[in-house]
Amino acid sequence: MEKGGGDPLGLLCPMGRPEKLALYRGGQTRVEESSRAIAGCFGGGQKRDWQCPHVRVLCVSPKILMADSEALPSLAGDPVAVEALLRAVFGVVVDEAIQKGTNASQKCHYSIQKGAAFLGLGTDSVRVVKADERGKMVPEDLERQIGMAEAEGAVPFLVSATSGTTVLGAFDPLEAIADVCQRHGLWLHVDAAWGGSVLLSQTHRHLLDGIQRADSVAWNPHKLLAAGLQCSALLLQDTSNLLKRCHGSQASYLFQQDKFYDVALDTGDKVVQCGRRVDCLKLWLMWKAQGDQGLERRIDQAFALARYLVEEIKKREGLELVMEPEFVNVCFWFVPPSLRGKQDSPDYHERLSKVAPMLKERMVKEGSMMIGYQPHGTRGNFFRVVVANPALTCADMDFLLNELERLGQDL
């Protein structure tokens, strides 16, 4: 699914510690089999040029790589001139990236902010797009933000959508977002690190409808599929070896071109650092052992168990869902006996927000279980149970709720 025409994007920069695909002859079969299988899941039959970054990806405008015909003056010893030059250069790059957040007052995923900082764009270049009450990006606001950025003289170039947000487990409307990107000629990146594995389920894969239109996708099999940490993939529509063209330094002392085997096996020149582990082997072995149906059952079981937990929460006094989940993130409040029936009290939400941290401390000190909690927008602290471990059962869900009731009965 190679993109036709147009100049390639100037830079595609993975952050963090990318993991290695097989660099050795013995691993090539695993790489190609894994690549074909992954490409099929994400909407194409052709092999993608893929690697495994630890976190998300930001793209920089190709203008940064366009050299001026005039030689740059010497700036040695002139910090004012250096700063002026840097400002001019990054003014040519991209002043505004378009990025999804949960709403206008909240920050987007921290890795996008860090990526903008690492690339020299600055965190102010990340523009937050509104989300609806379920945490999904609002395409109409994306369109509005693009218009505002262009009116301010900025050059939007990237939209980062999310399939499976960290807290609510929301899936952005990718088809509508892709339409916006297509109209404006923007690179569409989909952070499917958490939710990408849902594509393996025929029952639930509709949540990612439109992902085949993305220019790049990040996916972490070590999350929902429970592959060994860490195992991450970056998939690109581009089939022109974009990463090598952008990152390659052709170091002859490492990547000799006259080796006796196919030098295409030496993929290390594509990435920011050099040595990496062969983590695609984890995915290959798991896929070979479980098969397509085995991995699909694992996904479907997680959804079924999450639904069981939701229905049990509805039956019990003192438990309140934040919202009906569409994924395996089950978010809820434990309302202790002292706060039940007092929703109209002026300090109710302030007091309720203190319950989750207290219960977390108790369960950790008891050693009985660990559940994450967090605030979200205007909502105070609530518990977030992520039902992903394939070894979990309905009995474990019952224990979880019973233990919360036991630990919080005196609050």
Side-chain angles (χ1 to χ4, degrees):
M1 297 176 66
E2 185 172 0
K3 295 288 185 181
D7 293 329
L9 202 67
L11 180 64
L12 184 61
C13 186
M15 300 299 160
R17 297 193 305 251
E19 295 302 332
K20 172 172 281 192
L21 295 181
L23 298 187
Y24 311 105
R25 299 180 67 192
Q28 184 66 5
T29 301
R30 286 82 169 167
V31 172
E32 293 192 349
E33 288 187 25
S34 300
S35 296
R36 285 194 295 270
I38 293 171
C41 285
F42 284 85
Q46 297 185 28
K47 178 182 173 182
R48 298 292 198 276
D49 178 11
W50 66 287
Q51 62 162 331
C52 302
H54 178 57
V55 294
R56 313 301 184 268
V57 178
L58 279 179
C59 306
V60 180
S61 165
K63 295 178 182 178
I64 189 64
L65 298 182
M66 296 171 63
D68 258 331
S69 57
E70 298 181 9
L72 290 174
S74 173
L75 302 178
D78 190 345
V80 175
V82 170
E83 181 177 355
L85 175 62
L86 288 174
R87 288 183 181 277
V89 169
F90 286 109
V92 171
V93 184
V94 175
D95 296 312
E96 298 291 346
I98 304 299
Q99 165 60 30
K100 172 199 174 287
T102 51
N103 61 46
S105 65
Q106 294 180 329
K107 295 181 178 179
C108 60
H109 193 281
Y110 76 92
S111 62
I112 298 296
Q113 297 277 349
K114 291 176 73 172
F118 292 158
L119 287 171
L121 296 172
T123 55
D124 288 345
S125 68
V126 179
R127 183 170 293 224
V128 175
V129 179
K130 288 182 181 178
D132 63 19
E133 67 281 356
R134 295 194 60 84
K136 300 173 180 286
M137 183 189 290
V138 178
E140 294 78 12
D141 189 61
L142 173 62
E143 188 89 55
R144 185 181 68 86
Q145 293 278 6
I146 293 171
M148 289 173 56
E150 291 174 340
E152 296 167 5
V155 184
F157 69 103
L158 173 84
V159 173
S160 181
T162 307
S163 290
T165 58
T166 303
V167 178
L168 299 180
F171 287 78
D172 286 339
L174 299 181
E175 289 283 10
I177 294 170
D179 288 342
V180 175
C181 291
Q182 185 173 342
R183 281 195 296 273
H184 294 273
L186 304 179
W187 182 283
L188 174 57
H189 175 70
V190 177
D191 171 7
W194 174 218
S197 299
V198 176
L199 285 171
L200 295 167
S201 167
Q202 296 300 317
T203 302
H204 302 288
R205 65 178 303 157
H206 64 88
L207 292 170
L208 292 101
D209 284 351
I211 197 169
Q212 74 279 359
R213 299 176 63 185
D215 296 289
S216 56
V217 176
W219 174 43
N220 287 355
H222 67 242
K223 292 185 176 175
L224 187 55
L225 287 183
L229 272 173
Q230 63 189 32
C231 183
S232 304
L234 169 67
L235 298 103
L236 302 174
Q237 288 276 14
D238 182 277
T239 59
S240 64
N241 212 355
L242 177 64
L243 298 181
K244 186 174 181 64
R245 290 190 293 113
C246 293
H247 296 163
S249 60
Q250 294 83 45
S252 60
Y253 59 91
L254 285 179
F255 307 110
Q256 299 89 351
Q257 299 303 296
D258 54 357
K259 292 178 180 177
F260 67 92
Y261 59 82
D262 183 2
V263 295
L265 299 174
D266 297 332
T267 62
D269 203 22
K270 291 182 179 181
V271 295
V272 175
Q273 91 291 18
C274 185
R276 297 179 301 155
R277 296 180 293 275
V278 191
D279 272 5
C280 74
L281 184 62
K282 301 172 185 176
L283 177 60
W284 183 83
L285 287 172
M286 182 177 67
W287 213 324
K288 282 292 185 183
Q290 298 284 330
D292 292 353
Q293 293 181 354
L295 296 181
E296 181 176 10
R297 283 194 299 270
R298 181 173 291 190
I299 302 301
D300 290 343
Q301 178 186 344
F303 272 87
L305 204 56
R307 175 47 48 185
Y308 174 84
L309 178 59
V310 167
E311 295 306 318
E312 289 300 307
I313 288 173
K314 292 178 180 179
K315 295 176 185 178
R316 301 198 184 204
E317 183 183 10
L319 295 175
E320 180 183 346
L321 284 172
V322 173
M323 64 175 59
E324 283 281 345
E326 66 175 343
F327 195 20
V328 296
N329 302 37
V330 181
C331 300
F332 63 94
W333 286 282
F334 175 80
V335 183
S338 64
L339 288 178
R340 293 172 192 172
K342 297 182 179 179
Q343 288 84 349
D344 296 330
S345 300
D347 61 346
Y348 174 80
H349 293 288
E350 180 183 354
R351 293 170 63 190
L352 181 61
S353 185
K354 297 177 181 179
V355 173
M358 287 191 289
L359 284 178
K360 177 65 176 282
E361 179 182 358
R362 291 184 178 188
M363 68 178 71
V364 170
K365 289 182 176 179
E366 287 266 349
S368 57
M369 59 184 186
M370 291 185 67
I371 309 173
Y373 73 87
Q374 66 286 300
H376 192 267
T378 60
R379 301 180 178 100
N381 287 320
F382 55 84
F383 286 114
R384 171 172 50 98
V385 176
V386 177
V387 185
N389 187 339
L392 292 174
T393 65
C394 292
D396 294 312
M397 300 299 99
D398 294 337
F399 171 82
L400 183 153
L401 298 181
N402 292 338
E403 183 69 355
L404 280 177
E405 292 176 343
R406 183 184 74 85
L407 294 172
Q409 61 185 346
D410 62 337
L411 294 179

